[in-house]
Amino acid sequence: MSNKSTLTLLEHINLNVPNHNYILDFYISILGMGLDPRHAQNVQKGSGTIWANCGASQFHLPFGEEAQVIPGHIGLLYDDLSGVLERLELYSSQTGNRNENEDGDENEDGDE
C-alpha cells in the first residue's frame, strides 16, 4: 500500500450559516469568490443554499439555525494575496469597519 494520496480535488465543503447577509461580504467581496448563478436566487429569497465558487471547488453555504463549526481550519491558496488585501482595505473603508471590543471601545492593536 502506498503512503501517497491519489486525491486530486475536494469538490465542495458544506457550512451551515445563520445569516447570508454577513457571509456574502466575506466570501464574495473580500475573499473574491464567485457567486454561482445556479443558486444566486437564494440571495434574494434570504434562504436556501448559496454556492461560492473558488476555482474548481465550492463552499456550499446553506441557511441553518446554528452556524456549523469545523474543528481545525480550511486553507485557501492564492497566487498573490495583494488582491485579497486590497479588497479587505476597500471593504473596511466603505463600511467604516473598526475593531471594537465587547464594551464598544476601539482597539488600536486589534487585541481584545
Side-chain angles (χ1 to χ4, degrees):
M1 179 160 95
S2 172
N3 288 335
K4 293 187 177 186
S5 173
T6 58
L7 178 67
T8 59
L9 174 69
L10 173 64
E11 197 273 333
H12 75 272
I13 189 160
N14 200 75
L15 298 171
N16 295 339
V17 294
N19 188 322
H20 284 144
N21 294 329
Y22 298 113
I23 58 129
L24 286 174
D25 285 342
F26 179 69
Y27 285 94
I28 308 301
S29 301
I30 296 172
L31 293 180
M33 296 181 183
L35 184 61
D36 193 299
R38 294 173 289 179
H39 288 268
Q41 74 277 4
N42 291 337
V43 173
Q44 287 80 29
K45 288 190 325 187
S47 63
T49 300
I50 292 173
W51 291 0
N53 297 336
C54 52
S57 300
Q58 294 177 321
F59 281 77
H60 291 185
L61 304 163
F63 177 80
E65 290 295 321
E66 291 187 34
Q68 184 175 359
V69 178
I70 296 176
H73 67 275
I74 299 166
L76 301 175
L77 176 65
Y78 290 85
D79 289 333
D80 183 351
L81 288 178
S82 62
V84 176
L85 295 174
E86 287 173 15
R87 289 188 298 273
L88 182 58
E89 286 181 28
L90 178 63
Y91 178 79
S92 294
S93 68
Q94 289 176 344
T95 61
N97 196 0
R98 300 179 308 170
N99 186 8
E100 295 181 357
N101 64 22
E102 291 177 6
D103 298 325
D105 298 326
E106 186 172 349
N107 293 316
E108 301 264 337
D109 60 0
D111 291 336
E112 293 188 10

